[in-house]
């Protein structure tokens, strides 16, 4: 007679390991395979590797609803799908490697609203020509890897959707390989007050003097100034004033160092200039 304890252990092990694909890894290349995942593995909530699509022709996968049971994925790779968003991943909370690559129709990260943590080693969003913002990543609050890359997305000029922390000097200094495409620089400054470039953004005929400045910063403009903001090197706003009625700004209370002056006119045109407080 077989030992009932051994039989019980075998049944438990089969139940545990039968919940997910063998080895905890799966490659999906068709919509049918995606749809069948939740049917074949209804109790699978965690995977070691989830790879959807690959290099080559566009994979005719339009939604990821069949993956709705997943909560965590160690390596998450999505490539060359026809999908325009990531609907179906609404329960995904944690991933290790996050790689979205060469997605021609992806316009937003809608579907990833529960994603809170990317534990590493990389966060990569590249070659997504239809992507116009980072909306859908609002819940993301932590990344512990060494490569953070958002680049080669030709239509992306709006940083909305991603927390300003991921553009901060503190975060950048903690990541050995950090790449943000230049088309996002203006939006990052507008949304977060953080500069990722030493270049001036000039859209209107504003100027100021002297530079360096000790007490009074004088502004010259061909337009009516609607808003003035001064930011320090880490993007913190240290001065703000609307409807400026004088072309002088008292900066005597600022500590010595490098600052950035942003001027916006009544038509919402703006310019950003670097100055030194001595």
């Amino acid at each position: 007679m077989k030992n009932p304890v051994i039989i019980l252990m075998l049944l438990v092990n089969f139940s545990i390991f039968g919940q997910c694909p063998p080895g905890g890894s799966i490659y999906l290349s068709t919509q049918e395979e995606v749809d069948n995942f939740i049917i074949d593995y209804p109790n699978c909530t965690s995977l070691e590797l989830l790879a959807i699509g690959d290099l080559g022709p566009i994979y005719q996968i339009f939604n990821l609803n069949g993956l709705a049971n997943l909560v965590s994925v160690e390596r998450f790779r999505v490539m060359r799908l026809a999908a325009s968003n990531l609907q179906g991943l609404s329960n995904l909370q944690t991933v290790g490697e996050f790689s979205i690559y060469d997605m021609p129709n992806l316009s937003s990260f809608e579907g990833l609203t529960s994603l809170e943590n990317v534990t590493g080693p990389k966060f990569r969003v590249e070659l997504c020509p239809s992507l116009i913002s980072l909306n859908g990543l609002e819940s993301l609050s932590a990344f512990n890897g060494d490569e953070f890359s958002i680049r080669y997305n030709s239509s992306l000029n709006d940083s909305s959707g991603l927390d300003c922390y991921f553009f901060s000097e503190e975060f950048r200094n903690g990541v050995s390989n950090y790449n943000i495409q230049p088309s996002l620089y203006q939006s990052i400054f507008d949304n977060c007050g953080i500069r990722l470039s030493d270049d001036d953004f000039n859209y209107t005929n504003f100027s100021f003097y002297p530079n360096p400045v000790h007490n009074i910063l004088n502004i010259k403009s061909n337009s009516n100034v609607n808003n003035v903001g001064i930011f320090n090197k880490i993007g913190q706003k240290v001065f703000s004033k609307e409807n400026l009625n004088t072309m002088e700004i008292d900066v005597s209370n600022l500590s010595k160092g490098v600052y950035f002056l942003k001027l916006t006119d009544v038509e919402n045109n703006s310019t950003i200039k670097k100055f030194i407080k001595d």
Side-chain angles (χ1 to χ4, degrees), residues 225-260:
V225 178
N226 189 50
N227 182 276
V228 176
I230 296 178
F231 301 82
N232 61 22
K233 287 196 299 183
I234 62 173
Q236 296 171 324
K237 184 179 286 187
V238 296
F239 176 89
S240 180
K241 188 173 180 61
E242 295 184 357
N243 301 319
L244 194 69
N245 54 16
T246 176
M247 302 307 283
E248 297 180 348
I249 301 175
D250 186 352
V251 296
S252 59
N253 291 330
L254 297 181
S255 301
K256 292 183 179 181
V258 175
Y259 294 88
F260 298 94

Side-chain angles (χ1 to χ4, degrees), residues 61-190:
I61 298 175
F62 298 94
N63 71 74
L64 304 177
N65 294 332
L67 306 174
N69 49 332
L70 291 176
V71 175
S72 65
V73 175
E74 185 61 30
R75 288 178 291 164
F76 177 73
R77 301 174 185 172
V78 180
M79 187 182 304
R80 301 284 291 167
L81 307 188
S84 60
N85 55 56
L86 299 176
Q87 285 185 351
L89 296 172
S90 58
N91 291 312
L92 189 63
Q93 298 175 13
T94 301
V95 300
E97 174 188 331
F98 181 92
S99 184
I100 306 292
Y101 185 78
D102 200 6
M103 291 276 288
N105 300 325
L106 186 71
S107 60
S108 79
F109 290 100
E110 181 183 354
L112 287 178
T113 52
S114 296
L115 183 63
E116 298 178 350
N117 300 295
V118 177
T119 59
K122 68 176 64 174
F123 178 97
R124 182 174 72 156
V125 178
E126 296 180 354
L127 293 173
C128 300
S130 299
L131 190 64
I132 58 175
S133 78
L134 302 174
N135 291 331
L137 296 174
E138 287 83 357
S139 297
L140 185 62
S141 60
F143 172 72
N144 300 314
D146 56 12
E147 180 181 344
F148 192 91
S149 179
I150 302 175
R151 56 182 177 173
Y152 312 133
N153 308 293
S154 56
S155 300
L156 183 60
N157 56 19
D158 185 358
S159 64
S160 299
L162 193 60
D163 193 282
C164 291
Y165 169 71
F166 295 104
F167 307 119
S168 69
E169 185 175 28
E170 175 187 359
F171 179 78
R172 300 195 310 268
N173 289 341
V175 179
S176 58
N177 189 357
Y178 185 86
N179 294 288
I180 297 292
Q181 60 189 68
S183 64
L184 287 172
Y185 290 173
Q186 177 68 58
S187 177
I188 291 169
F189 189 91
D190 290 341

